[in-house]
Amino acid sequence: MSDENDNGRPGNPGGRAPLTLKPRTGSVSAGVVKQSFSHGRSKTVVVETKRARPLGHGAAPNLAAPSSAERRPSAPAPSAPRPAGPSAPSSSSAGGLSAEEMRARQRVVDAAREAQERQASDRNAAEARAADDARRRAAEAAA
């Protein structure tokens, strides 16, 4: 057995070569930090931090475009007659909903508001009954 432990590797007599990271270009910057462990050892490590990608002035994030099925139909040409009737979408209505759809949504909102008011009045009535019962018990206990 020889005194040297090179095992046929030229260049580095102490063992294997240290691991390194190749410098990256773009939005990643690397730094060297000393990492210390609770049992007393410390180790130098390379830390890569990613920077936020700046968006161009007024540019929208890079999102996928809607498919042809998801796209809303474009507005009809000015010369084309618009269909008449209550279910025809109005460009002035909120979100392009027809008058019928707006009425249906308003009915649902009104029903939900009535249900909330009913629950609040029921809760107030139950609290009033509980307060009356407590006063009656207190009066009976005192008598």
Short mmCIF file of all heavy atoms in Angstrom, two decimals, residues 12-70:
data_model
loop_
_atom_site.label_atom_id
_atom_site.label_comp_id
_atom_site.label_asym_id
_atom_site.label_seq_id
_atom_site.Cartn_x
_atom_site.Cartn_y
_atom_site.Cartn_z
N ASN A 12 -5.21 16.15 -7.96
CA ASN A 12 -5.71 16.47 -6.63
C ASN A 12 -5.31 15.37 -5.66
O ASN A 12 -6.00 14.36 -5.54
CB ASN A 12 -7.23 16.63 -6.67
CG ASN A 12 -7.76 17.26 -5.39
OD1 ASN A 12 -6.99 17.57 -4.49
ND2 ASN A 12 -9.07 17.44 -5.32
N PRO A 13 -4.19 15.55 -4.93
CA PRO A 13 -3.73 14.47 -4.06
C PRO A 13 -4.60 14.28 -2.83
O PRO A 13 -4.60 13.22 -2.23
CB PRO A 13 -2.32 14.92 -3.67
CG PRO A 13 -2.31 16.40 -3.84
CD PRO A 13 -3.27 16.69 -4.92
N GLY A 14 -5.42 15.26 -2.42
CA GLY A 14 -6.18 15.14 -1.18
C GLY A 14 -7.52 14.47 -1.34
O GLY A 14 -8.27 14.32 -0.38
N GLY A 15 -7.91 14.07 -2.49
CA GLY A 15 -9.24 13.47 -2.67
C GLY A 15 -9.90 14.03 -3.90
O GLY A 15 -9.24 14.47 -4.84
N ARG A 16 -11.19 14.06 -3.89
CA ARG A 16 -11.90 14.52 -5.07
C ARG A 16 -11.90 16.04 -5.15
O ARG A 16 -11.75 16.72 -4.15
CB ARG A 16 -13.32 13.99 -5.09
CG ARG A 16 -14.19 14.53 -3.99
CD ARG A 16 -15.61 13.96 -4.17
NE ARG A 16 -16.40 14.18 -2.99
CZ ARG A 16 -16.99 15.33 -2.68
NH1 ARG A 16 -16.88 16.36 -3.47
NH2 ARG A 16 -17.71 15.45 -1.59
N ALA A 17 -12.14 16.55 -6.34
CA ALA A 17 -12.17 18.00 -6.55
C ALA A 17 -13.43 18.58 -5.91
O ALA A 17 -14.47 17.90 -5.85
CB ALA A 17 -12.17 18.29 -8.05
N PRO A 18 -13.37 19.81 -5.42
CA PRO A 18 -14.56 20.40 -4.79
C PRO A 18 -15.65 20.65 -5.85
O PRO A 18 -15.35 20.92 -7.01
CB PRO A 18 -14.06 21.72 -4.21
CG PRO A 18 -12.81 22.03 -4.96
CD PRO A 18 -12.22 20.71 -5.36
N LEU A 19 -16.88 20.51 -5.41
CA LEU A 19 -18.00 20.73 -6.31
C LEU A 19 -18.19 22.23 -6.52
O LEU A 19 -18.06 23.02 -5.59
CB LEU A 19 -19.29 20.14 -5.73
CG LEU A 19 -19.30 18.63 -5.53
CD1 LEU A 19 -20.58 18.21 -4.82
CD2 LEU A 19 -19.19 17.93 -6.86
N THR A 20 -18.50 22.64 -7.72
CA THR A 20 -18.72 24.05 -8.02
C THR A 20 -19.98 24.19 -8.85
O THR A 20 -20.45 23.23 -9.46
CB THR A 20 -17.54 24.65 -8.82
OG1 THR A 20 -17.42 23.92 -10.04
CG2 THR A 20 -16.25 24.57 -8.04
N LEU A 21 -20.50 25.40 -8.84
CA LEU A 21 -21.65 25.72 -9.68
C LEU A 21 -21.21 26.61 -10.81
O LEU A 21 -20.38 27.49 -10.62
CB LEU A 21 -22.72 26.45 -8.86
CG LEU A 21 -23.47 25.63 -7.83
CD1 LEU A 21 -24.42 26.52 -7.05
CD2 LEU A 21 -24.24 24.52 -8.49
N LYS A 22 -21.76 26.39 -11.97
CA LYS A 22 -21.43 27.25 -13.09
C LYS A 22 -22.22 28.54 -12.94
O LYS A 22 -23.39 28.52 -12.53
CB LYS A 22 -21.84 26.57 -14.40
CG LYS A 22 -21.08 25.29 -14.66
CD LYS A 22 -21.60 24.62 -15.90
CE LYS A 22 -20.93 23.28 -16.07
NZ LYS A 22 -21.55 22.50 -17.14
N PRO A 23 -21.61 29.67 -13.24
CA PRO A 23 -22.36 30.92 -13.14
C PRO A 23 -23.49 30.95 -14.16
O PRO A 23 -23.33 30.53 -15.30
CB PRO A 23 -21.33 32.00 -13.44
CG PRO A 23 -20.18 31.31 -14.07
CD PRO A 23 -20.23 29.88 -13.66
N ARG A 24 -24.65 31.40 -13.71
CA ARG A 24 -25.82 31.45 -14.59
C ARG A 24 -26.08 32.88 -14.99
O ARG A 24 -25.88 33.81 -14.22
CB ARG A 24 -27.04 30.90 -13.87
CG ARG A 24 -26.86 29.42 -13.51
CD ARG A 24 -27.99 28.94 -12.68
NE ARG A 24 -29.14 28.64 -13.53
CZ ARG A 24 -30.30 28.21 -13.06
NH1 ARG A 24 -30.46 28.05 -11.79
NH2 ARG A 24 -31.29 27.96 -13.88
N THR A 25 -26.55 33.04 -16.20
CA THR A 25 -26.89 34.37 -16.67
C THR A 25 -28.39 34.56 -16.53
O THR A 25 -29.15 33.61 -16.43
CB THR A 25 -26.49 34.53 -18.15
OG1 THR A 25 -27.18 33.55 -18.91
CG2 THR A 25 -25.00 34.39 -18.32
N GLY A 26 -28.82 35.79 -16.52
CA GLY A 26 -30.25 36.07 -16.47
C GLY A 26 -30.66 36.60 -15.12
O GLY A 26 -30.00 37.45 -14.52
N SER A 27 -31.76 36.07 -14.60
CA SER A 27 -32.36 36.62 -13.40
C SER A 27 -31.90 35.94 -12.12
O SER A 27 -32.53 36.08 -11.09
CB SER A 27 -33.88 36.52 -13.51
OG SER A 27 -34.26 35.17 -13.52
N VAL A 28 -30.82 35.16 -12.14
CA VAL A 28 -30.36 34.47 -10.94
C VAL A 28 -28.99 35.01 -10.57
O VAL A 28 -28.08 35.05 -11.38
CB VAL A 28 -30.27 32.94 -11.18
CG1 VAL A 28 -29.77 32.24 -9.95
CG2 VAL A 28 -31.62 32.39 -11.57
N SER A 29 -28.85 35.45 -9.32
CA SER A 29 -27.55 35.89 -8.85
C SER A 29 -27.10 34.95 -7.75
O SER A 29 -27.91 34.44 -6.98
CB SER A 29 -27.64 37.33 -8.32
OG SER A 29 -28.49 37.38 -7.21
N ALA A 30 -25.80 34.68 -7.68
CA ALA A 30 -25.27 33.72 -6.71
C ALA A 30 -24.42 34.45 -5.69
O ALA A 30 -23.79 35.47 -5.98
CB ALA A 30 -24.45 32.66 -7.41
N GLY A 31 -24.40 33.95 -4.47
CA GLY A 31 -23.59 34.49 -3.40
C GLY A 31 -23.05 33.36 -2.56
O GLY A 31 -23.60 32.26 -2.55
N VAL A 32 -21.98 33.63 -1.82
CA VAL A 32 -21.38 32.63 -0.95
C VAL A 32 -21.74 32.98 0.49
O VAL A 32 -21.58 34.11 0.93
CB VAL A 32 -19.85 32.59 -1.12
CG1 VAL A 32 -19.23 31.59 -0.18
CG2 VAL A 32 -19.50 32.26 -2.56
N VAL A 33 -22.25 31.99 1.23
CA VAL A 33 -22.70 32.18 2.60
C VAL A 33 -22.06 31.11 3.47
O VAL A 33 -21.88 29.97 3.04
CB VAL A 33 -24.24 32.06 2.69
CG1 VAL A 33 -24.72 32.15 4.12
CG2 VAL A 33 -24.90 33.12 1.84
N LYS A 34 -21.69 31.47 4.71
CA LYS A 34 -21.15 30.49 5.64
C LYS A 34 -22.32 29.93 6.44
O LYS A 34 -23.04 30.65 7.12
CB LYS A 34 -20.14 31.16 6.56
CG LYS A 34 -19.28 30.19 7.30
CD LYS A 34 -18.14 30.91 7.97
CE LYS A 34 -17.10 29.92 8.40
NZ LYS A 34 -15.97 30.59 9.03
N GLN A 35 -22.52 28.62 6.34
CA GLN A 35 -23.60 27.94 7.02
C GLN A 35 -23.05 27.31 8.27
O GLN A 35 -22.10 26.52 8.20
CB GLN A 35 -24.18 26.89 6.08
CG GLN A 35 -25.37 26.15 6.61
CD GLN A 35 -25.88 25.12 5.61
OE1 GLN A 35 -25.14 24.70 4.72
NE2 GLN A 35 -27.12 24.72 5.76
N SER A 36 -23.60 27.63 9.43
CA SER A 36 -23.10 27.05 10.68
C SER A 36 -24.16 26.12 11.26
O SER A 36 -25.35 26.41 11.24
CB SER A 36 -22.75 28.14 11.68
OG SER A 36 -23.87 28.93 11.96
N PHE A 37 -23.71 24.99 11.78
CA PHE A 37 -24.59 23.99 12.33
C PHE A 37 -24.55 24.04 13.85
O PHE A 37 -23.61 24.55 14.46
CB PHE A 37 -24.17 22.59 11.84
CG PHE A 37 -24.22 22.46 10.34
CD1 PHE A 37 -23.07 22.58 9.58
CD2 PHE A 37 -25.43 22.24 9.70
CE1 PHE A 37 -23.11 22.45 8.21
CE2 PHE A 37 -25.48 22.11 8.33
CZ PHE A 37 -24.33 22.22 7.58
N SER A 38 -25.58 23.48 14.49
CA SER A 38 -25.69 23.54 15.95
C SER A 38 -24.60 22.73 16.65
O SER A 38 -24.26 23.01 17.79
CB SER A 38 -27.06 23.03 16.38
OG SER A 38 -27.23 21.68 15.99
N HIS A 39 -24.03 21.74 15.99
CA HIS A 39 -23.02 20.90 16.63
C HIS A 39 -21.61 21.45 16.43
O HIS A 39 -20.63 20.74 16.69
CB HIS A 39 -23.13 19.45 16.14
CG HIS A 39 -23.05 19.30 14.66
ND1 HIS A 39 -24.16 19.42 13.85
CD2 HIS A 39 -22.01 19.05 13.83
CE1 HIS A 39 -23.78 19.24 12.59
NE2 HIS A 39 -22.48 19.02 12.56
N GLY A 40 -21.48 22.69 15.97
CA GLY A 40 -20.18 23.33 15.93
C GLY A 40 -19.51 23.42 14.58
O GLY A 40 -18.58 24.20 14.42
N ARG A 41 -19.93 22.64 13.61
CA ARG A 41 -19.30 22.71 12.29
C ARG A 41 -19.82 23.90 11.51
O ARG A 41 -20.92 24.38 11.75
CB ARG A 41 -19.60 21.44 11.50
CG ARG A 41 -18.76 20.27 11.94
CD ARG A 41 -18.81 19.16 10.93
NE ARG A 41 -18.24 19.59 9.65
CZ ARG A 41 -18.31 18.88 8.54
NH1 ARG A 41 -18.95 17.74 8.53
NH2 ARG A 41 -17.76 19.31 7.43
N SER A 42 -19.04 24.34 10.56
CA SER A 42 -19.51 25.36 9.64
C SER A 42 -19.09 24.96 8.24
O SER A 42 -18.13 24.21 8.05
CB SER A 42 -18.96 26.73 10.01
OG SER A 42 -17.56 26.72 9.90
N LYS A 43 -19.80 25.47 7.28
CA LYS A 43 -19.57 25.06 5.90
C LYS A 43 -19.89 26.25 5.00
O LYS A 43 -20.83 26.99 5.25
CB LYS A 43 -20.52 23.90 5.61
CG LYS A 43 -20.52 23.35 4.22
CD LYS A 43 -21.54 22.23 4.16
CE LYS A 43 -21.68 21.68 2.78
NZ LYS A 43 -22.73 20.65 2.72
N THR A 44 -19.10 26.46 3.97
CA THR A 44 -19.36 27.53 3.02
C THR A 44 -20.19 26.98 1.88
O THR A 44 -19.84 25.97 1.27
CB THR A 44 -18.04 28.10 2.47
OG1 THR A 44 -17.24 28.52 3.57
CG2 THR A 44 -18.29 29.26 1.56
N VAL A 45 -21.32 27.63 1.62
CA VAL A 45 -22.23 27.16 0.58
C VAL A 45 -22.54 28.29 -0.38
O VAL A 45 -22.42 29.46 -0.04
CB VAL A 45 -23.54 26.60 1.16
CG1 VAL A 45 -23.30 25.35 1.97
CG2 VAL A 45 -24.24 27.64 2.00
N VAL A 46 -22.94 27.94 -1.58
CA VAL A 46 -23.32 28.92 -2.59
C VAL A 46 -24.84 29.01 -2.59
O VAL A 46 -25.54 28.02 -2.65
CB VAL A 46 -22.81 28.49 -3.99
CG1 VAL A 46 -23.29 29.47 -5.05
CG2 VAL A 46 -21.31 28.39 -3.99
N VAL A 47 -25.35 30.24 -2.51
CA VAL A 47 -26.79 30.48 -2.48
C VAL A 47 -27.17 31.26 -3.73
O VAL A 47 -26.53 32.25 -4.06
CB VAL A 47 -27.17 31.28 -1.22
CG1 VAL A 47 -28.67 31.56 -1.22
CG2 VAL A 47 -26.79 30.53 0.02
N GLU A 48 -28.18 30.79 -4.41
CA GLU A 48 -28.68 31.50 -5.59
C GLU A 48 -29.99 32.17 -5.22
O GLU A 48 -30.86 31.58 -4.60
CB GLU A 48 -28.92 30.53 -6.74
CG GLU A 48 -27.66 29.94 -7.31
CD GLU A 48 -27.95 29.05 -8.50
OE1 GLU A 48 -29.15 28.75 -8.75
OE2 GLU A 48 -27.00 28.65 -9.16
N THR A 49 -30.14 33.43 -5.57
CA THR A 49 -31.38 34.16 -5.32
C THR A 49 -31.96 34.60 -6.65
O THR A 49 -31.22 35.05 -7.52
CB THR A 49 -31.15 35.39 -4.44
OG1 THR A 49 -30.18 36.22 -5.06
CG2 THR A 49 -30.65 34.98 -3.07
N LYS A 50 -33.26 34.46 -6.78
CA LYS A 50 -33.93 34.87 -8.01
C LYS A 50 -34.50 36.26 -7.82
O LYS A 50 -35.11 36.56 -6.81
CB LYS A 50 -35.06 33.90 -8.35
CG LYS A 50 -34.57 32.57 -8.82
CD LYS A 50 -35.71 31.76 -9.38
CE LYS A 50 -35.18 30.46 -9.93
NZ LYS A 50 -36.24 29.68 -10.56
N ARG A 51 -34.30 37.11 -8.80
CA ARG A 51 -34.86 38.45 -8.77
C ARG A 51 -36.19 38.44 -9.50
O ARG A 51 -36.40 37.65 -10.41
CB ARG A 51 -33.90 39.44 -9.45
CG ARG A 51 -32.68 39.71 -8.60
CD ARG A 51 -31.75 40.64 -9.34
NE ARG A 51 -30.94 39.81 -10.24
CZ ARG A 51 -30.51 40.18 -11.42
NH1 ARG A 51 -30.81 41.37 -11.88
NH2 ARG A 51 -29.78 39.38 -12.17
N ALA A 52 -37.07 39.33 -9.10
CA ALA A 52 -38.36 39.44 -9.78
C ALA A 52 -38.12 39.95 -11.19
O ALA A 52 -37.30 40.83 -11.41
CB ALA A 52 -39.27 40.39 -9.03
N ARG A 53 -38.84 39.37 -12.11
CA ARG A 53 -38.68 39.76 -13.50
C ARG A 53 -39.46 41.05 -13.75
O ARG A 53 -40.68 41.09 -13.55
CB ARG A 53 -39.25 38.65 -14.37
CG ARG A 53 -38.50 38.46 -15.66
CD ARG A 53 -39.10 37.35 -16.46
NE ARG A 53 -38.53 36.07 -16.08
CZ ARG A 53 -38.94 34.93 -16.58
NH1 ARG A 53 -39.92 34.89 -17.44
NH2 ARG A 53 -38.36 33.80 -16.21
N PRO A 54 -38.80 42.12 -14.15
CA PRO A 54 -39.53 43.37 -14.36
C PRO A 54 -40.40 43.28 -15.61
O PRO A 54 -39.99 42.77 -16.64
CB PRO A 54 -38.43 44.42 -14.54
CG PRO A 54 -37.25 43.64 -15.03
CD PRO A 54 -37.36 42.26 -14.40
N LEU A 55 -41.63 43.75 -15.47
CA LEU A 55 -42.53 43.76 -16.61
C LEU A 55 -42.35 45.06 -17.36
O LEU A 55 -42.02 46.08 -16.79
CB LEU A 55 -43.98 43.65 -16.14
CG LEU A 55 -44.37 42.33 -15.47
CD1 LEU A 55 -45.80 42.41 -14.96
CD2 LEU A 55 -44.23 41.18 -16.44
N GLY A 56 -42.55 45.00 -18.64
CA GLY A 56 -42.44 46.20 -19.45
C GLY A 56 -43.51 47.21 -19.05
O GLY A 56 -44.51 46.88 -18.40
N HIS A 57 -43.33 48.45 -19.43
CA HIS A 57 -44.27 49.50 -19.07
C HIS A 57 -45.65 49.20 -19.67
O HIS A 57 -45.81 49.11 -20.88
CB HIS A 57 -43.77 50.85 -19.59
CG HIS A 57 -44.66 51.99 -19.22
ND1 HIS A 57 -44.81 52.40 -17.92
CD2 HIS A 57 -45.48 52.77 -19.96
CE1 HIS A 57 -45.65 53.41 -17.88
NE2 HIS A 57 -46.08 53.64 -19.12
N GLY A 58 -46.64 49.00 -18.80
CA GLY A 58 -48.00 48.73 -19.26
C GLY A 58 -48.19 47.35 -19.85
O GLY A 58 -49.22 47.07 -20.44
N ALA A 59 -47.21 46.48 -19.72
CA ALA A 59 -47.33 45.15 -20.31
C ALA A 59 -48.12 44.25 -19.38
O ALA A 59 -47.98 44.30 -18.17
CB ALA A 59 -45.96 44.55 -20.55
N ALA A 60 -48.95 43.42 -19.94
CA ALA A 60 -49.72 42.46 -19.17
C ALA A 60 -48.85 41.25 -18.88
O ALA A 60 -47.91 40.96 -19.61
CB ALA A 60 -50.96 42.05 -19.95
N PRO A 61 -49.13 40.54 -17.79
CA PRO A 61 -48.37 39.31 -17.52
C PRO A 61 -48.54 38.32 -18.66
O PRO A 61 -49.53 38.35 -19.38
CB PRO A 61 -48.98 38.77 -16.23
CG PRO A 61 -49.95 39.77 -15.75
CD PRO A 61 -50.12 40.82 -16.79
N ASN A 62 -47.59 37.43 -18.80
CA ASN A 62 -47.60 36.47 -19.89
C ASN A 62 -48.60 35.36 -19.59
O ASN A 62 -48.27 34.33 -19.03
CB ASN A 62 -46.19 35.90 -20.09
CG ASN A 62 -46.11 35.05 -21.33
OD1 ASN A 62 -47.05 35.02 -22.12
ND2 ASN A 62 -45.02 34.36 -21.49
N LEU A 63 -49.85 35.59 -19.96
CA LEU A 63 -50.90 34.61 -19.73
C LEU A 63 -51.32 34.01 -21.06
O LEU A 63 -51.20 34.62 -22.11
CB LEU A 63 -52.12 35.28 -19.08
CG LEU A 63 -51.87 35.91 -17.71
CD1 LEU A 63 -53.13 36.61 -17.23
CD2 LEU A 63 -51.43 34.87 -16.71
N ALA A 64 -51.86 32.81 -20.98
CA ALA A 64 -52.33 32.16 -22.20
C ALA A 64 -53.58 32.85 -22.69
O ALA A 64 -54.41 33.30 -21.91
CB ALA A 64 -52.61 30.69 -21.92
N ALA A 65 -53.71 32.95 -23.98
CA ALA A 65 -54.89 33.58 -24.56
C ALA A 65 -56.07 32.62 -24.46
O ALA A 65 -55.88 31.40 -24.46
CB ALA A 65 -54.62 33.92 -26.02
N PRO A 66 -57.29 33.13 -24.36
CA PRO A 66 -58.45 32.24 -24.29
C PRO A 66 -58.62 31.49 -25.61
O PRO A 66 -58.28 31.98 -26.67
CB PRO A 66 -59.63 33.17 -24.03
CG PRO A 66 -59.16 34.52 -24.44
CD PRO A 66 -57.67 34.52 -24.28
N SER A 67 -59.14 30.28 -25.49
CA SER A 67 -59.36 29.49 -26.70
C SER A 67 -60.53 30.07 -27.49
O SER A 67 -61.25 30.94 -27.01
CB SER A 67 -59.67 28.04 -26.33
OG SER A 67 -60.92 27.97 -25.69
N SER A 68 -60.71 29.59 -28.69
CA SER A 68 -61.79 30.13 -29.53
C SER A 68 -63.15 29.86 -28.91
O SER A 68 -64.09 30.63 -29.09
CB SER A 68 -61.70 29.55 -30.93
OG SER A 68 -61.85 28.14 -30.86
N ALA A 69 -63.30 28.78 -28.15
CA ALA A 69 -64.57 28.48 -27.50
C ALA A 69 -64.82 29.41 -26.32
O ALA A 69 -65.96 29.71 -25.99
CB ALA A 69 -64.59 27.03 -27.03
N GLU A 70 -63.75 29.88 -25.68
CA GLU A 70 -63.91 30.75 -24.51
C GLU A 70 -64.10 32.20 -24.88
O GLU A 70 -64.62 32.97 -24.10
CB GLU A 70 -62.68 30.63 -23.60
CG GLU A 70 -62.52 29.28 -22.97
CD GLU A 70 -61.21 29.17 -22.20
OE1 GLU A 70 -60.25 29.85 -22.57
OE2 GLU A 70 -61.19 28.40 -21.24
#
